Amino acid sequence: MAVLVSGASGFIGSHTCVELLNVGEDVIGFDNFYNSKDDIPKKIEKLTGKSLKFYKADMCVKADIHKIFTENEIDSVIHFAGYKAVGESVAKPLMYYGNNIDGTVVLLEAMKEFGCDRFVFSSSATVYKFPAVSPAIKEDFELTATNHPYGTTKMIIENICRDVSISDDKFACALLRYFNPVGAHDSGVIGENPNGIPNNLMPIVLKAVTGQLPSMTVFGNDYPTPDGTCIRDYLHVVDLAKAHVAALNKVREEGFSGCAEYNLGTGKGTSVLELLTAFEKVNGLKIPYIIGKRRPGDAAEYYAVPEKAEQELGWRAELNIEDMCKSAYDFAVKNA
Ligand code: UFG
């Protein structure tokens, strides 16, 4: 039986395929390469020495998804595919709702039709309502659906999964709420390579240190945090990929059904300035940056309480902020 990975050539999808293949899983991947390169499947095979069956396919096109289910014995799906830029989602909400929601429904319908009922979804800490009662975020904290269309699509898809699990008592689903994934595979072969101008911190740092941007801006140093900059829970993408292997094992567990939510983070907060300092130190360079105004909508501080994932999935993040900064820079240099 194989696991189907949607968005398999994207940042987190590609690292997850590597970890799945490394533990001997039979992996089928698909991607429409909207925000990734078509040489990634070959790179995954080279890194693992295993074969990866790959389709160029669009999750919104029923015929594409049916073809994959018809040609393979798939028992579970890990779903990454989706548009993910917050700013773009505000400018083009219908594009986000159309692609992310419709595509997920097509995928879930195909799963139902082909008797596949194990599902792992790539959600986000953006589903929580900020400011929260505490910066240490637990799975039972209040949720929101109004941050931005990107975040709302994550919330809607979580709701869809919960509804499917009510209608079908065999449906087994893990909703994985990522905090801030960064870093790259330590080979430097795969990593984060967004098309266009990035909006997340690490890709911007990489553009600034490789000369693709003249400098970067720290968005505000007047927050109520020790150094005045925002605190987030940065998580190494290889740790995150391993969490998907653990979640897949969970949804395949005999007797497990319904939807379970898991925070995926290290449990440790790092400020923007701490991250920049760690990056400079571990890579022996200076980041050209200025301090600017706050970015609207940023919460001052939050980080995961990752205990539920540890207790129920047997997963814990192992890599630290230095590992994240070093691997991210190695990848950027090798792929500049
Ligand atoms: N930051 C800067 N300068 C930059 C970019 C970011 O100082 O050029 C700061 C931000 O203000 C924030 C921190 O770096 O304090 C992290 O910002 P990111 O954009 O990398 O990450 P966020 O925590 O804002 O975003 C995350 C996820 C999104 C999700 C969002 C919800 O990456 O997917 O939370 O608000 F939608």
Side-chain angles (χ1 to χ4, degrees):
M1 280 303 217
V3 51
L4 176 65
V5 178
S6 80
S9 59
F11 175 41
I12 304 167
S14 59
H15 288 81
T16 299
C17 286
V18 167
E19 297 307 322
L20 289 167
L21 291 167
N22 280 344
V23 296
E25 289 286 345
D26 187 3
V27 185
I28 319 282
F30 81 86
D31 207 298
N32 64 358
F33 302 117
Y34 172 79
N35 194 24
S36 60
K37 309 270 184 301
D38 61 6
D39 61 351
I40 299 294
K42 283 276 155 286
K43 289 182 170 173
I44 294 170
E45 289 191 323
K46 218 171 149 195
L47 273 178
T48 57
K50 306 264 176 68
S51 85
L52 169 67
K53 191 165 180 188
F54 207 93
Y55 291 81
K56 178 167 194 257
D58 188 323
M59 64 175 172
C60 292
V61 178
K62 259 188 183 174
D64 281 7
I65 302 307
H66 271 232
K67 181 176 157 59
I68 298 173
F69 275 93
T70 306
E71 292 181 359
N72 300 283
E73 292 276 318
I74 295 164
D75 81 319
S76 45
V77 174
I78 304 182
H79 178 31
F80 295 103
Y83 297 149
K84 61 171 189 176
V86 172
E88 185 184 50
S89 79
V90 175
K92 300 175 183 171
L94 298 178
M95 177 176 138
Y96 271 66
Y97 290 119
N99 184 69
N100 294 6
I101 309 292
D102 291 358
T104 304
V105 172
V106 168
L107 208 49
L108 288 167
E109 276 175 347
M111 286 175 63
K112 192 164 180 56
E113 197 177 326
F114 287 83
C116 167
D117 45 28
R118 323 269 115 181
F119 195 61
V120 176
F121 175 57
S122 159
S123 190
S124 164
T126 194
V127 299
Y128 292 110
K129 189 172 192 307
F130 295 107
V133 288
S134 145
I137 307 290
K138 293 189 180 161
E139 285 86 351
D140 59 3
F141 276 24
E142 191 181 347
L143 304 178
T144 186
T146 55
N147 279 353
H148 37 70
Y150 160 75
T152 308
T153 66
K154 293 291 183 197
M155 194 64 245
I156 293 172
I157 294 168
E158 284 205 1
N159 285 335
I160 291 172
C161 292
R162 283 185 279 266
D163 288 342
V164 171
S165 76
I166 291 167
S167 75
D168 175 359
D169 58 14
K170 289 196 301 303
F171 189 66
C173 172
L175 302 170
L176 305 183
R177 295 175 178 159
Y178 313 156
F179 281 65
N180 290 59
V182 295
H185 192 266
D186 63 10
S187 62
V189 171
I190 55 171
E192 189 169 17
N193 206 352
N195 290 336
I197 301 162
N199 46 41
N200 292 117
L201 180 60
M202 186 63 89
I204 290 176
V205 169
L206 295 173
K207 293 239 181 270
V209 295
T210 54
Q212 296 170 69
L213 282 175
S215 75
M216 60 159 294
T217 303
V218 173
F219 295 141
N221 66 350
D222 58 351
Y223 285 96
T225 60
D227 66 19
T229 64
C230 290
I231 291 176
R232 294 287 181 275
D233 186 340
Y234 298 95
L235 168 69
H236 199 297
V237 66
V238 171
D239 276 332
L240 181 55
K242 289 177 178 167
H244 290 76
V245 177
L248 179 65
N249 291 336
K250 180 75 192 172
V251 297
R252 279 178 173 164
E253 232 171 63
E254 192 65 41
F256 175 77
S257 66
C259 273
E261 298 84 5
Y262 297 102
N263 283 345
L264 298 180
T266 61
K268 185 180 177 309
T270 301
S271 75
V272 176
L273 284 181
E274 282 170 342
L275 185 140
L276 299 187
T277 305
F279 190 101
E280 289 181 332
K281 195 164 167 221
V282 75
N283 294 312
L285 45 74
K286 283 271 163 230
I287 302 169
Y289 71 84
I290 55 166
I291 305 288
K293 286 206 277 264
R294 290 183 180 197
R295 183 173 67 177
D298 277 343
E301 175 178 17
Y302 63 88
Y303 47 88
V305 173
E307 267 72 35
K308 189 176 172 201
E310 182 163 1
Q311 284 157 12
E312 295 187 14
L313 304 180
W315 170 88
R316 185 155 58 97
E318 280 166 357
L319 300 166
N320 61 26
I321 201 83
E322 283 77 23
D323 300 318
M324 301 176 212
C325 292
K326 185 171 183 315
S327 60
Y329 183 59
D330 283 352
F331 172 77
V333 169
K334 287 186 178 147
N335 295 275

